Amino acid sequence: MSNNILSFNYFLILTLLTSFNWFFEILKWQNLANSIKTTSIKAATEQTLGAHTASLFTPNRIGDYGAKALYFPSRLRTKVVGLNGIGNLAQMLITTFFGSIGLLFFTAKFPLHFDFKSLNWTQYLLFGVTFTVIILVLTKLVKAKIWIVKIKRFLHSISASLFLKTLLFSGLRYFIFSFQFYAFLQLFHADINYFNAMVVISSMYLLASILPSVFIFDVVLKGSIAVYLFSFFNINETIVLSCITLMWLFNMVLPSGIGSFYIMNFKLQKN
């Protein structure tokens, strides 16, 4: 009986973490949208969850930009796309900052020494993936330089206080879903302390954010990276994959179920 109560309480806490994660995402968007049009928390919720659902089957959820823009008059849609980009940029900056710190600690603890003659086929595959990641990062940097000229004028119109608030909400979200991953590890009794877990989790989210993916393959991508990184701490791959799957269900599938209601309601309103 007590174990059932404990399991229920744990499930409730994990559900609350998901709720807080999306609550701060909604507040982040409301904060951005208010700069061009007064947006209620109800409207921000509909726009955020509706756009999340509509973007699931697009690479790197790029459809989120167009979906949010449809909630606004045509004269504001270009600005909406730009503001959405600011929100995603802030989240990426937070992921990159903490992920880079995590990778530094990870590589300090597990220095990479390559002896190509002794590598097996899985290690060759891993090396190939790593090389691909580096190429993709460099490509993104080149593209970013091209786009800097185009978005410089728009960025100048964003106040420092607005961007700092956006960074704050992004940081709160990051700490919530990172801690939620650790909570799932504890649920499965993984033998790893909080610091080491955060090193791996932050590194995993950084590497996963670099590679393009679609909703249905997101769990596979993160799972592959997580299994490899956690293997250095002798964490069973079944535990890691279970945590990845639950994170995917709680933070991607569950919100999309709610968002589908808003999409249906949006269509009815338009009709």
Side-chain angles (χ1 to χ4, degrees), residues 118-176:
S118 63
L119 295 180
N120 55 39
W121 70 271
T122 55
Q123 291 169 324
Y124 275 115
L125 179 62
L126 176 63
F127 178 78
V129 170
T130 304
F131 179 76
T132 303
V133 169
I134 294 172
I135 295 299
L136 286 171
V137 171
L138 293 175
T139 302
K140 282 181 175 288
L141 289 175
V142 171
K143 289 182 178 179
K145 288 182 178 180
I146 296 173
W147 279 100
I148 282 175
V149 178
K150 296 182 179 181
I151 65 176
K152 187 176 180 181
R153 184 178 300 175
F154 176 78
L155 289 177
H156 279 307
S157 69
I158 303 299
S159 66
S161 61
L162 177 62
F163 189 69
L164 287 175
K165 284 182 181 178
T166 306
L167 276 176
L168 174 62
F169 289 131
S170 298
L172 289 171
R173 284 196 69 216
Y174 186 87
F175 287 119
I176 289 169

Side-chain angles (χ1 to χ4, degrees), residues 105 109 182 192-202 233:
F105 279 104
K109 189 176 182 66
Y182 175 73
I192 186 170
N193 61 44
Y194 181 76
F195 178 79
N196 287 335
M198 287 300 106
V199 166
V200 177
I201 291 168
S202 59
F233 293 92

Side-chain angles (χ1 to χ4, degrees), residues 51-157:
H52 166 70
T53 304
S55 67
L56 290 180
F57 296 97
T58 58
N60 280 20
R61 298 180 59 231
I62 194 71
D64 181 70
Y65 289 86
K68 275 200 180 84
L70 292 176
Y71 284 96
F72 292 81
S74 57
R75 62 185 174 81
L76 295 177
R77 286 175 183 171
T78 301
K79 291 183 178 179
V80 170
V81 171
L83 289 171
N84 202 28
I86 293 296
N88 290 333
L89 173 64
Q91 198 68 57
M92 187 62 189
L93 287 174
I94 294 293
T95 300
T96 302
F97 177 74
F98 289 105
S100 298
I101 294 174
L103 274 176
L104 285 174
F105 279 104
F106 186 88
T107 54
K109 189 176 182 66
F110 302 104
L112 299 178
H113 299 291
F114 291 107
D115 182 4
F116 289 99
K117 294 181 180 179
S118 63
L119 295 180
N120 55 39
W121 70 271
T122 55
Q123 291 169 324
Y124 275 115
L125 179 62
L126 176 63
F127 178 78
V129 170
T130 304
F131 179 76
T132 303
V133 169
I134 294 172
I135 295 299
L136 286 171
V137 171
L138 293 175
T139 302
K140 282 181 175 288
L141 289 175
V142 171
K143 289 182 178 179
K145 288 182 178 180
I146 296 173
W147 279 100
I148 282 175
V149 178
K150 296 182 179 181
I151 65 176
K152 187 176 180 181
R153 184 178 300 175
F154 176 78
L155 289 177
H156 279 307
S157 69

